[in-house]
Amino acid sequence: MSHGEPNPIVNAASNAIAALRADDDQIELAKAHESLNTKAIEKLEVAEARQQPTVKDAVIAMLTKRGQSTDPEALVPGVTMKTITVDGAVGALPANVYTPQGVGPFPVILYFHGGGWVIADKDVYDAGARGLAKAANAIVVSVDYRQAPEHRFPAAWDDALAAYRWLSQNAASLGGDPVRMALAGESAGGNLAVATAIAVRDAGLPAPRHVLSVYPVAQTSLNTESYLENAIAKPLNRAMVKWFVDHLVNSEEDLKDTRLSLIDADLAGLPPVTIVNARLDPLRSDGAKLESALRDAGVPVERRDYEGVAHEFFGAAAVLQKARDAMAYAGDRLRTALG
């Protein structure tokens, strides 16, 4: 077996399970991703892992095959994007600013991309952030926080809080309303969104009105029901999560930190939270556990679990019906909260 190639037996089993459980369009997307010769991230060095084809690349491949436009502005009309820098914890961070059509000032959503705190960036997650700008009729600021292993835990969390502080002071310069702010993120970014809401509360900063957390990491055991059920799922599997965490933490002690293990954090007094999960995702149970912990803390929370789709589905609205459904739901929840 050559370097980084997926185990052929595990690969065949994963595909067979997906064929039974996944929606037809999700299966098509998975096949498009596999056709790009993706390697097993958990077998790679970080530099090579960061070069692997993404689900975004698979969406583009599907659209191209169908003869459809791959231009982001055609896929999500009425949203413009520019790149700025915002203040992180130790220096400037690049950020994409997505602005909907119409007359501002608009509500402002600070968005954190996924990638296990190790790979991917704001551009890989363009579709999720751009879609939210349209669906929520809000300015979305998607920030590139520092990543591990060059910047291990808690660098990303420190940057996330610093970016929120910057945005609360500078929203007006972007055409936004600093009184109507929200936090959002996918996967690792879904964790950052909730963790930042906690940090904002503890720092006494102006509170966001809502938190959208899409398939978040919310605890650190790899033995939850969904980790075992979806151990060899695609595009995220149990071994990959372990690889991400191993590159992230300084020691086992970090795994107990409530910024990673959100379900053990003091969640009281947080703004209302919306959680989006996918059935075919090792992180599904994390979302369910977070919902329970928030409810126990008296935080208004609503969670939707989408059947037949996998991790990373949320940003694939160009090709997945459930992604369109989830985006509309998230947009509606944010719009209502942000007024």
Side-chain angles (χ1 to χ4, degrees):
M1 211 176 346
S2 65
H3 168 69
E5 294 303 318
N7 179 304
I9 296 165
V10 173
N11 204 41
S14 178
N15 290 347
I17 293 165
L20 296 172
R21 299 176 64 205
D23 291 351
D24 289 347
D25 52 7
Q26 175 69 66
I27 292 171
E28 192 184 347
L29 180 60
K31 285 179 177 168
H33 195 212
E34 197 166 312
S35 74
L36 301 173
N37 299 316
T38 50
K39 293 182 177 177
I41 287 206
E42 67 274 14
K43 296 181 180 180
L44 302 177
E45 294 299 321
V46 169
E48 194 176 359
R50 288 173 178 160
Q51 299 302 315
Q52 287 305 295
T54 64
V55 172
K56 176 186 177 179
D57 297 322
V59 169
I60 290 169
M62 266 178 83
L63 291 170
T64 303
K65 189 177 170 187
R66 294 172 179 181
Q68 293 174 247
S69 173
T70 60
D71 176 6
E73 295 198 2
L75 295 170
V76 185
V79 174
T80 56
M81 191 272 279
K82 66 177 180 180
T83 300
I84 64 166
T85 57
V86 308
D87 291 348
V90 297
L93 303 171
N96 288 349
V97 180
Y98 301 88
T99 305
Q101 268 177 340
V103 180
F106 295 98
V108 185
I109 301 168
L110 179 59
Y111 168 94
F112 305 112
H113 68 76
W117 301 286
V118 177
I119 63 172
D121 60 19
K122 59 184 173 40
D123 298 326
V124 169
Y125 281 80
D126 172 87
R130 191 182 290 269
L132 281 176
K134 175 100 170 174
N137 197 39
I139 291 170
V140 175
V141 179
S142 175
V143 64
D144 270 345
Y145 48 87
R146 287 172 297 157
Q147 288 177 308
E150 296 87 349
H151 307 280
R152 288 183 181 261
F153 179 83
W157 286 259
D158 293 344
D159 278 346
L161 177 59
Y164 184 90
R165 182 179 273 115
W166 182 92
L167 193 54
S168 68
Q169 293 163 355
N170 292 275
S173 70
L174 302 175
D177 178 359
V179 177
R180 294 183 294 153
M181 287 181 62
L183 287 157
E186 295 177 52
S187 194
N191 166 288
L192 288 173
V194 177
T196 302
I198 297 168
V200 164
R201 177 201 66 196
D202 293 348
L205 293 171
R209 289 198 182 176
H210 201 82
V211 181
L212 169 66
S213 189
V214 181
Y215 27 74
V217 177
Q219 54 84 56
T220 55
S221 165
L222 298 181
N223 296 314
T224 65
E225 180 190 357
S226 64
Y227 267 117
L228 301 177
E229 181 189 313
N230 299 300
I232 58 171
K234 291 175 180 177
L236 183 71
N237 61 48
R238 190 167 175 254
M240 275 172 69
V241 177
K242 184 175 187 318
W243 183 91
F244 287 133
V245 171
D246 286 348
H247 285 93
L248 172 71
V249 299
N250 305 281
S251 71
E252 292 286 302
E253 200 59 30
D254 285 346
L255 298 178
K256 298 176 193 162
D257 193 294
T258 54
R259 286 167 288 189
L260 268 174
S261 193
L262 295 171
I263 60 171
D264 298 315
D266 172 13
L267 301 169
L270 291 192
V273 178
T274 300
I275 301 170
V276 170
N277 275 124
R279 285 300 290 180
L280 313 180
D281 182 356
L283 295 178
R284 187 187 75 235
S285 296
D286 278 47
K289 286 174 180 288
L290 181 59
E291 178 192 19
S292 296
L294 287 162
R295 196 154 275 146
D296 290 346
V299 178
V301 57
E302 203 173 285
R303 184 175 76 93
R304 282 207 186 161
D305 194 353
Y306 288 84
E307 292 280 348
V309 285
H311 195 74
E312 302 291 15
F313 88 99
F314 188 75
V319 296
L320 296 185
Q321 181 58 50
K322 295 280 172 64
R324 293 190 282 277
D325 297 346
M327 182 64 75
Y329 166 64
D332 187 53
R333 292 276 292 167
L334 284 160
R335 238 190 355 263
T336 301
L338 292 167

PDB file of all heavy atoms in Angstrom, residues 217-250:
ATOM      1  N   VAL A 217     -17.352  19.837  18.041  1.00  0.00           N
ATOM      2  CA  VAL A 217     -16.641  19.024  19.022  1.00  0.00           C
ATOM      3  C   VAL A 217     -17.049  19.574  20.385  1.00  0.00           C
ATOM      4  O   VAL A 217     -16.874  20.767  20.645  1.00  0.00           O
ATOM      5  CB  VAL A 217     -15.113  19.145  18.846  1.00  0.00           C
ATOM      6  CG1 VAL A 217     -14.382  18.355  19.930  1.00  0.00           C
ATOM      7  CG2 VAL A 217     -14.683  18.691  17.460  1.00  0.00           C
ATOM      8  N   ALA A 218     -17.604  18.717  21.248  1.00  0.00           N
ATOM      9  CA  ALA A 218     -18.094  19.214  22.531  1.00  0.00           C
ATOM     10  C   ALA A 218     -17.572  18.424  23.725  1.00  0.00           C
ATOM     11  O   ALA A 218     -17.855  18.765  24.866  1.00  0.00           O
ATOM     12  CB  ALA A 218     -19.623  19.206  22.552  1.00  0.00           C
ATOM     13  N   GLN A 219     -16.790  17.368  23.452  1.00  0.00           N
ATOM     14  CA  GLN A 219     -16.190  16.584  24.527  1.00  0.00           C
ATOM     15  C   GLN A 219     -15.028  15.784  23.912  1.00  0.00           C
ATOM     16  O   GLN A 219     -14.830  15.833  22.707  1.00  0.00           O
ATOM     17  CB  GLN A 219     -17.230  15.696  25.205  1.00  0.00           C
ATOM     18  CG  GLN A 219     -18.006  14.776  24.262  1.00  0.00           C
ATOM     19  CD  GLN A 219     -17.282  13.497  23.963  1.00  0.00           C
ATOM     20  OE1 GLN A 219     -16.923  12.762  24.886  1.00  0.00           O
ATOM     21  NE2 GLN A 219     -17.038  13.204  22.687  1.00  0.00           N
ATOM     22  N   THR A 220     -14.272  15.078  24.729  1.00  0.00           N
ATOM     23  CA  THR A 220     -13.004  14.524  24.227  1.00  0.00           C
ATOM     24  C   THR A 220     -12.904  13.001  24.256  1.00  0.00           C
ATOM     25  O   THR A 220     -11.872  12.452  23.925  1.00  0.00           O
ATOM     26  CB  THR A 220     -11.814  15.125  24.996  1.00  0.00           C
ATOM     27  OG1 THR A 220     -12.002  14.915  26.399  1.00  0.00           O
ATOM     28  CG2 THR A 220     -11.694  16.633  24.727  1.00  0.00           C
ATOM     29  N   SER A 221     -13.984  12.305  24.620  1.00  0.00           N
ATOM     30  CA  SER A 221     -13.966  10.838  24.522  1.00  0.00           C
ATOM     31  C   SER A 221     -14.220  10.429  23.071  1.00  0.00           C
ATOM     32  O   SER A 221     -15.077  11.008  22.399  1.00  0.00           O
ATOM     33  CB  SER A 221     -15.050  10.232  25.413  1.00  0.00           C
ATOM     34  OG  SER A 221     -15.262   8.878  25.051  1.00  0.00           O
ATOM     35  N   LEU A 222     -13.471   9.428  22.610  1.00  0.00           N
ATOM     36  CA  LEU A 222     -13.695   8.900  21.252  1.00  0.00           C
ATOM     37  C   LEU A 222     -14.572   7.650  21.300  1.00  0.00           C
ATOM     38  O   LEU A 222     -14.614   6.866  20.342  1.00  0.00           O
ATOM     39  CB  LEU A 222     -12.359   8.577  20.587  1.00  0.00           C
ATOM     40  CG  LEU A 222     -11.395   9.758  20.379  1.00  0.00           C
ATOM     41  CD1 LEU A 222     -10.128   9.293  19.682  1.00  0.00           C
ATOM     42  CD2 LEU A 222     -12.053  10.875  19.580  1.00  0.00           C
ATOM     43  N   ASN A 223     -15.271   7.441  22.429  1.00  0.00           N
ATOM     44  CA  ASN A 223     -16.072   6.224  22.615  1.00  0.00           C
ATOM     45  C   ASN A 223     -17.556   6.497  22.784  1.00  0.00           C
ATOM     46  O   ASN A 223     -18.276   5.691  23.368  1.00  0.00           O
ATOM     47  CB  ASN A 223     -15.543   5.443  23.831  1.00  0.00           C
ATOM     48  CG  ASN A 223     -14.123   4.950  23.594  1.00  0.00           C
ATOM     49  OD1 ASN A 223     -13.823   4.406  22.536  1.00  0.00           O
ATOM     50  ND2 ASN A 223     -13.240   5.170  24.549  1.00  0.00           N
ATOM     51  N   THR A 224     -18.017   7.631  22.251  1.00  0.00           N
ATOM     52  CA  THR A 224     -19.455   7.902  22.286  1.00  0.00           C
ATOM     53  C   THR A 224     -20.161   6.971  21.303  1.00  0.00           C
ATOM     54  O   THR A 224     -19.536   6.333  20.454  1.00  0.00           O
ATOM     55  CB  THR A 224     -19.750   9.351  21.879  1.00  0.00           C
ATOM     56  OG1 THR A 224     -19.370   9.525  20.511  1.00  0.00           O
ATOM     57  CG2 THR A 224     -19.026  10.350  22.770  1.00  0.00           C
ATOM     58  N   GLU A 225     -21.477   6.947  21.400  1.00  0.00           N
ATOM     59  CA  GLU A 225     -22.282   6.107  20.503  1.00  0.00           C
ATOM     60  C   GLU A 225     -21.957   6.397  19.031  1.00  0.00           C
ATOM     61  O   GLU A 225     -21.742   5.483  18.233  1.00  0.00           O
ATOM     62  CB  GLU A 225     -23.771   6.367  20.787  1.00  0.00           C
ATOM     63  CG  GLU A 225     -24.706   5.540  19.920  1.00  0.00           C
ATOM     64  CD  GLU A 225     -26.163   5.979  20.030  1.00  0.00           C
ATOM     65  OE1 GLU A 225     -26.446   6.892  20.840  1.00  0.00           O
ATOM     66  OE2 GLU A 225     -26.987   5.429  19.298  1.00  0.00           O
ATOM     67  N   SER A 226     -21.905   7.678  18.678  1.00  0.00           N
ATOM     68  CA  SER A 226     -21.712   8.005  17.252  1.00  0.00           C
ATOM     69  C   SER A 226     -20.263   7.796  16.793  1.00  0.00           C
ATOM     70  O   SER A 226     -20.022   7.517  15.621  1.00  0.00           O
ATOM     71  CB  SER A 226     -22.179   9.428  16.944  1.00  0.00           C
ATOM     72  OG  SER A 226     -21.415  10.391  17.626  1.00  0.00           O
ATOM     73  N   TYR A 227     -19.297   7.926  17.715  1.00  0.00           N
ATOM     74  CA  TYR A 227     -17.909   7.607  17.340  1.00  0.00           C
ATOM     75  C   TYR A 227     -17.789   6.133  16.990  1.00  0.00           C
ATOM     76  O   TYR A 227     -17.066   5.753  16.056  1.00  0.00           O
ATOM     77  CB  TYR A 227     -16.929   7.941  18.472  1.00  0.00           C
ATOM     78  CG  TYR A 227     -16.319   9.321  18.370  1.00  0.00           C
ATOM     79  CD1 TYR A 227     -16.544  10.278  19.356  1.00  0.00           C
ATOM     80  CD2 TYR A 227     -15.517   9.670  17.286  1.00  0.00           C
ATOM     81  CE1 TYR A 227     -15.986  11.549  19.273  1.00  0.00           C
ATOM     82  CE2 TYR A 227     -14.961  10.945  17.189  1.00  0.00           C
ATOM     83  CZ  TYR A 227     -15.208  11.871  18.184  1.00  0.00           C
ATOM     84  OH  TYR A 227     -14.664  13.122  18.084  1.00  0.00           O
ATOM     85  N   LEU A 228     -18.471   5.279  17.743  1.00  0.00           N
ATOM     86  CA  LEU A 228     -18.393   3.838  17.484  1.00  0.00           C
ATOM     87  C   LEU A 228     -19.214   3.472  16.248  1.00  0.00           C
ATOM     88  O   LEU A 228     -18.780   2.710  15.397  1.00  0.00           O
ATOM     89  CB  LEU A 228     -18.861   3.069  18.723  1.00  0.00           C
ATOM     90  CG  LEU A 228     -18.035   3.370  19.994  1.00  0.00           C
ATOM     91  CD1 LEU A 228     -18.576   2.636  21.199  1.00  0.00           C
ATOM     92  CD2 LEU A 228     -16.555   3.034  19.794  1.00  0.00           C
ATOM     93  N   GLU A 229     -20.398   4.087  16.136  1.00  0.00           N
ATOM     94  CA  GLU A 229     -21.285   3.789  14.999  1.00  0.00           C
ATOM     95  C   GLU A 229     -20.691   4.273  13.673  1.00  0.00           C
ATOM     96  O   GLU A 229     -20.855   3.628  12.638  1.00  0.00           O
ATOM     97  CB  GLU A 229     -22.621   4.488  15.266  1.00  0.00           C
ATOM     98  CG  GLU A 229     -23.682   4.295  14.216  1.00  0.00           C
ATOM     99  CD  GLU A 229     -24.876   5.207  14.479  1.00  0.00           C
ATOM    100  OE1 GLU A 229     -25.342   5.276  15.634  1.00  0.00           O
ATOM    101  OE2 GLU A 229     -25.316   5.856  13.525  1.00  0.00           O
ATOM    102  N   ASN A 230     -19.994   5.432  13.707  1.00  0.00           N
ATOM    103  CA  ASN A 230     -19.452   6.037  12.477  1.00  0.00           C
ATOM    104  C   ASN A 230     -17.923   6.048  12.483  1.00  0.00           C
ATOM    105  O   ASN A 230     -17.301   6.976  11.968  1.00  0.00           O
ATOM    106  CB  ASN A 230     -19.993   7.463  12.331  1.00  0.00           C
ATOM    107  CG  ASN A 230     -21.507   7.514  12.225  1.00  0.00           C
ATOM    108  OD1 ASN A 230     -22.085   6.949  11.313  1.00  0.00           O
ATOM    109  ND2 ASN A 230     -22.163   8.157  13.177  1.00  0.00           N
ATOM    110  N   ALA A 231     -17.338   5.005  13.062  1.00  0.00           N
ATOM    111  CA  ALA A 231     -15.879   4.959  13.229  1.00  0.00           C
ATOM    112  C   ALA A 231     -15.133   5.046  11.905  1.00  0.00           C
ATOM    113  O   ALA A 231     -14.028   5.592  11.837  1.00  0.00           O
ATOM    114  CB  ALA A 231     -15.477   3.688  13.977  1.00  0.00           C
ATOM    115  N   ILE A 232     -15.755   4.495  10.832  1.00  0.00           N
ATOM    116  CA  ILE A 232     -15.072   4.516   9.523  1.00  0.00           C
ATOM    117  C   ILE A 232     -15.865   5.338   8.502  1.00  0.00           C
ATOM    118  O   ILE A 232     -15.770   5.132   7.298  1.00  0.00           O
ATOM    119  CB  ILE A 232     -14.809   3.091   8.994  1.00  0.00           C
ATOM    120  CG1 ILE A 232     -16.114   2.285   8.866  1.00  0.00           C
ATOM    121  CG2 ILE A 232     -13.810   2.369   9.886  1.00  0.00           C
ATOM    122  CD1 ILE A 232     -15.957   0.955   8.139  1.00  0.00           C
ATOM    123  N   ALA A 233     -16.647   6.290   8.999  1.00  0.00           N
ATOM    124  CA  ALA A 233     -17.444   7.136   8.099  1.00  0.00           C
ATOM    125  C   ALA A 233     -16.543   8.034   7.264  1.00  0.00           C
ATOM    126  O   ALA A 233     -15.357   8.185   7.527  1.00  0.00           O
ATOM    127  CB  ALA A 233     -18.422   7.976   8.912  1.00  0.00           C
ATOM    128  N   LYS A 234     -17.140   8.662   6.248  1.00  0.00           N
ATOM    129  CA  LYS A 234     -16.446   9.665   5.430  1.00  0.00           C
ATOM    130  C   LYS A 234     -17.298  10.921   5.428  1.00  0.00           C
ATOM    131  O   LYS A 234     -18.518  10.822   5.471  1.00  0.00           O
ATOM    132  CB  LYS A 234     -16.299   9.152   3.988  1.00  0.00           C
ATOM    133  CG  LYS A 234     -15.340   7.981   3.845  1.00  0.00           C
ATOM    134  CD  LYS A 234     -15.386   7.494   2.410  1.00  0.00           C
ATOM    135  CE  LYS A 234     -14.429   6.319   2.230  1.00  0.00           C
ATOM    136  NZ  LYS A 234     -14.530   5.794   0.865  1.00  0.00           N
ATOM    137  N   PRO A 235     -16.704  12.105   5.341  1.00  0.00           N
ATOM    138  CA  PRO A 235     -15.269  12.380   5.199  1.00  0.00           C
ATOM    139  C   PRO A 235     -14.522  12.456   6.525  1.00  0.00           C
ATOM    140  O   PRO A 235     -13.327  12.668   6.536  1.00  0.00           O
ATOM    141  CB  PRO A 235     -15.262  13.747   4.513  1.00  0.00           C
ATOM    142  CG  PRO A 235     -16.480  14.417   5.078  1.00  0.00           C
ATOM    143  CD  PRO A 235     -17.515  13.330   5.238  1.00  0.00           C
ATOM    144  N   LEU A 236     -15.233  12.281   7.663  1.00  0.00           N
ATOM    145  CA  LEU A 236     -14.572  12.335   8.967  1.00  0.00           C
ATOM    146  C   LEU A 236     -14.746  10.992   9.656  1.00  0.00           C
ATOM    147  O   LEU A 236     -15.859  10.473   9.739  1.00  0.00           O
ATOM    148  CB  LEU A 236     -15.193  13.441   9.844  1.00  0.00           C
ATOM    149  CG  LEU A 236     -14.537  13.640  11.216  1.00  0.00           C
ATOM    150  CD1 LEU A 236     -13.150  14.278  11.069  1.00  0.00           C
ATOM    151  CD2 LEU A 236     -15.418  14.497  12.126  1.00  0.00           C
ATOM    152  N   ASN A 237     -13.637  10.444  10.153  1.00  0.00           N
ATOM    153  CA  ASN A 237     -13.719   9.188  10.898  1.00  0.00           C
ATOM    154  C   ASN A 237     -13.026   9.333  12.255  1.00  0.00           C
ATOM    155  O   ASN A 237     -12.410  10.361  12.550  1.00  0.00           O
ATOM    156  CB  ASN A 237     -13.134   8.033  10.077  1.00  0.00           C
ATOM    157  CG  ASN A 237     -11.662   8.244   9.750  1.00  0.00           C
ATOM    158  OD1 ASN A 237     -10.864   8.575  10.620  1.00  0.00           O
ATOM    159  ND2 ASN A 237     -11.295   8.052   8.495  1.00  0.00           N
ATOM    160  N   ARG A 238     -13.159   8.293  13.054  1.00  0.00           N
ATOM    161  CA  ARG A 238     -12.640   8.332  14.426  1.00  0.00           C
ATOM    162  C   ARG A 238     -11.123   8.522  14.452  1.00  0.00           C
ATOM    163  O   ARG A 238     -10.587   9.287  15.264  1.00  0.00           O
ATOM    164  CB  ARG A 238     -13.038   7.025  15.107  1.00  0.00           C
ATOM    165  CG  ARG A 238     -12.815   6.953  16.602  1.00  0.00           C
ATOM    166  CD  ARG A 238     -13.574   5.732  17.138  1.00  0.00           C
ATOM    167  NE  ARG A 238     -13.304   5.525  18.553  1.00  0.00           N
ATOM    168  CZ  ARG A 238     -12.517   4.558  19.004  1.00  0.00           C
ATOM    169  NH1 ARG A 238     -11.887   3.743  18.164  1.00  0.00           N
ATOM    170  NH2 ARG A 238     -12.346   4.406  20.312  1.00  0.00           N
ATOM    171  N   ALA A 239     -10.419   7.834  13.538  1.00  0.00           N
ATOM    172  CA  ALA A 239      -8.952   7.931  13.505  1.00  0.00           C
ATOM    173  C   ALA A 239      -8.492   9.346  13.161  1.00  0.00           C
ATOM    174  O   ALA A 239      -7.482   9.826  13.682  1.00  0.00           O
ATOM    175  CB  ALA A 239      -8.388   6.928  12.496  1.00  0.00           C
ATOM    176  N   MET A 240      -9.234  10.010  12.279  1.00  0.00           N
ATOM    177  CA  MET A 240      -8.890  11.393  11.921  1.00  0.00           C
ATOM    178  C   MET A 240      -9.025  12.328  13.115  1.00  0.00           C
ATOM    179  O   MET A 240      -8.180  13.195  13.328  1.00  0.00           O
ATOM    180  CB  MET A 240      -9.795  11.904  10.790  1.00  0.00           C
ATOM    181  CG  MET A 240      -9.327  11.544   9.399  1.00  0.00           C
ATOM    182  SD  MET A 240     -10.582  11.977   8.179  1.00  0.00           S
ATOM    183  CE  MET A 240     -10.521  13.763   8.233  1.00  0.00           C
ATOM    184  N   VAL A 241     -10.087  12.149  13.886  1.00  0.00           N
ATOM    185  CA  VAL A 241     -10.284  13.022  15.048  1.00  0.00           C
ATOM    186  C   VAL A 241      -9.120  12.850  16.021  1.00  0.00           C
ATOM    187  O   VAL A 241      -8.585  13.824  16.547  1.00  0.00           O
ATOM    188  CB  VAL A 241     -11.635  12.756  15.740  1.00  0.00           C
ATOM    189  CG1 VAL A 241     -11.768  13.618  16.987  1.00  0.00           C
ATOM    190  CG2 VAL A 241     -12.787  13.041  14.786  1.00  0.00           C
ATOM    191  N   LYS A 242      -8.703  11.600  16.221  1.00  0.00           N
ATOM    192  CA  LYS A 242      -7.561  11.354  17.110  1.00  0.00           C
ATOM    193  C   LYS A 242      -6.307  12.055  16.572  1.00  0.00           C
ATOM    194  O   LYS A 242      -5.536  12.658  17.328  1.00  0.00           O
ATOM    195  CB  LYS A 242      -7.318   9.852  17.265  1.00  0.00           C
ATOM    196  CG  LYS A 242      -6.187   9.559  18.255  1.00  0.00           C
ATOM    197  CD  LYS A 242      -6.002   8.094  18.522  1.00  0.00           C
ATOM    198  CE  LYS A 242      -4.994   7.857  19.647  1.00  0.00           C
ATOM    199  NZ  LYS A 242      -3.796   8.706  19.623  1.00  0.00           N
ATOM    200  N   TRP A 243      -6.114  12.010  15.257  1.00  0.00           N
ATOM    201  CA  TRP A 243      -4.963  12.664  14.608  1.00  0.00           C
ATOM    202  C   TRP A 243      -5.007  14.173  14.865  1.00  0.00           C
ATOM    203  O   TRP A 243      -4.005  14.785  15.232  1.00  0.00           O
ATOM    204  CB  TRP A 243      -4.998  12.343  13.117  1.00  0.00           C
ATOM    205  CG  TRP A 243      -3.873  12.868  12.277  1.00  0.00           C
ATOM    206  CD1 TRP A 243      -2.695  12.226  11.991  1.00  0.00           C
ATOM    207  CD2 TRP A 243      -3.819  14.124  11.569  1.00  0.00           C
ATOM    208  NE1 TRP A 243      -1.921  13.012  11.152  1.00  0.00           N
ATOM    209  CE2 TRP A 243      -2.583  14.169  10.882  1.00  0.00           C
ATOM    210  CE3 TRP A 243      -4.699  15.202  11.453  1.00  0.00           C
ATOM    211  CZ2 TRP A 243      -2.204  15.262  10.085  1.00  0.00           C
ATOM    212  CZ3 TRP A 243      -4.320  16.285  10.657  1.00  0.00           C
ATOM    213  CH2 TRP A 243      -3.092  16.307   9.998  1.00  0.00           C
ATOM    214  N   PHE A 244      -6.205  14.768  14.680  1.00  0.00           N
ATOM    215  CA  PHE A 244      -6.349  16.211  14.933  1.00  0.00           C
ATOM    216  C   PHE A 244      -5.995  16.545  16.380  1.00  0.00           C
ATOM    217  O   PHE A 244      -5.219  17.472  16.645  1.00  0.00           O
ATOM    218  CB  PHE A 244      -7.792  16.669  14.664  1.00  0.00           C
ATOM    219  CG  PHE A 244      -8.176  16.735  13.211  1.00  0.00           C
ATOM    220  CD1 PHE A 244      -9.373  16.181  12.767  1.00  0.00           C
ATOM    221  CD2 PHE A 244      -7.366  17.361  12.285  1.00  0.00           C
ATOM    222  CE1 PHE A 244      -9.745  16.249  11.432  1.00  0.00           C
ATOM    223  CE2 PHE A 244      -7.729  17.437  10.939  1.00  0.00           C
ATOM    224  CZ  PHE A 244      -8.918  16.876  10.525  1.00  0.00           C
ATOM    225  N   VAL A 245      -6.578  15.799  17.307  1.00  0.00           N
ATOM    226  CA  VAL A 245      -6.394  16.095  18.732  1.00  0.00           C
ATOM    227  C   VAL A 245      -4.932  15.911  19.141  1.00  0.00           C
ATOM    228  O   VAL A 245      -4.382  16.712  19.901  1.00  0.00           O
ATOM    229  CB  VAL A 245      -7.345  15.230  19.586  1.00  0.00           C
ATOM    230  CG1 VAL A 245      -7.017  15.364  21.070  1.00  0.00           C
ATOM    231  CG2 VAL A 245      -8.803  15.629  19.332  1.00  0.00           C
ATOM    232  N   ASP A 246      -4.296  14.870  18.596  1.00  0.00           N
ATOM    233  CA  ASP A 246      -2.877  14.631  18.917  1.00  0.00           C
ATOM    234  C   ASP A 246      -2.002  15.806  18.479  1.00  0.00           C
ATOM    235  O   ASP A 246      -1.000  16.123  19.127  1.00  0.00           O
ATOM    236  CB  ASP A 246      -2.382  13.343  18.253  1.00  0.00           C
ATOM    237  CG  ASP A 246      -2.924  12.090  18.936  1.00  0.00           C
ATOM    238  OD1 ASP A 246      -3.479  12.205  20.048  1.00  0.00           O
ATOM    239  OD2 ASP A 246      -2.800  10.995  18.345  1.00  0.00           O
ATOM    240  N   HIS A 247      -2.358  16.439  17.367  1.00  0.00           N
ATOM    241  CA  HIS A 247      -1.599  17.601  16.898  1.00  0.00           C
ATOM    242  C   HIS A 247      -1.960  18.885  17.650  1.00  0.00           C
ATOM    243  O   HIS A 247      -1.192  19.846  17.628  1.00  0.00           O
ATOM    244  CB  HIS A 247      -1.819  17.819  15.392  1.00  0.00           C
ATOM    245  CG  HIS A 247      -1.078  16.845  14.541  1.00  0.00           C
ATOM    246  ND1 HIS A 247      -1.639  15.664  14.088  1.00  0.00           N
ATOM    247  CD2 HIS A 247       0.199  16.847  14.080  1.00  0.00           C
ATOM    248  CE1 HIS A 247      -0.741  14.998  13.377  1.00  0.00           C
ATOM    249  NE2 HIS A 247       0.377  15.692  13.355  1.00  0.00           N
ATOM    250  N   LEU A 248      -3.123  18.871  18.297  1.00  0.00           N
ATOM    251  CA  LEU A 248      -3.628  20.069  18.958  1.00  0.00           C
ATOM    252  C   LEU A 248      -3.120  20.236  20.387  1.00  0.00           C
ATOM    253  O   LEU A 248      -2.668  21.312  20.784  1.00  0.00           O
ATOM    254  CB  LEU A 248      -5.163  20.035  18.974  1.00  0.00           C
ATOM    255  CG  LEU A 248      -5.851  21.125  19.791  1.00  0.00           C
ATOM    256  CD1 LEU A 248      -5.707  22.484  19.130  1.00  0.00           C
ATOM    257  CD2 LEU A 248      -7.334  20.784  19.980  1.00  0.00           C
ATOM    258  N   VAL A 249      -3.227  19.167  21.173  1.00  0.00           N
ATOM    259  CA  VAL A 249      -3.008  19.316  22.618  1.00  0.00           C
ATOM    260  C   VAL A 249      -1.524  19.237  22.976  1.00  0.00           C
ATOM    261  O   VAL A 249      -0.728  18.626  22.270  1.00  0.00           O
ATOM    262  CB  VAL A 249      -3.816  18.274  23.430  1.00  0.00           C
ATOM    263  CG1 VAL A 249      -5.307  18.455  23.176  1.00  0.00           C
ATOM    264  CG2 VAL A 249      -3.376  16.847  23.138  1.00  0.00           C
ATOM    265  N   ASN A 250      -1.194  19.874  24.094  1.00  0.00           N
ATOM    266  CA  ASN A 250       0.174  19.841  24.620  1.00  0.00           C
ATOM    267  C   ASN A 250       0.397  18.597  25.460  1.00  0.00           C
ATOM    268  O   ASN A 250       1.498  18.062  25.526  1.00  0.00           O
ATOM    269  CB  ASN A 250       0.423  21.088  25.484  1.00  0.00           C
ATOM    270  CG  ASN A 250       0.119  22.368  24.718  1.00  0.00           C
ATOM    271  OD1 ASN A 250       0.920  22.809  23.909  1.00  0.00           O
ATOM    272  ND2 ASN A 250      -1.050  22.951  24.953  1.00  0.00           N
TER     273      ASN A 250
END
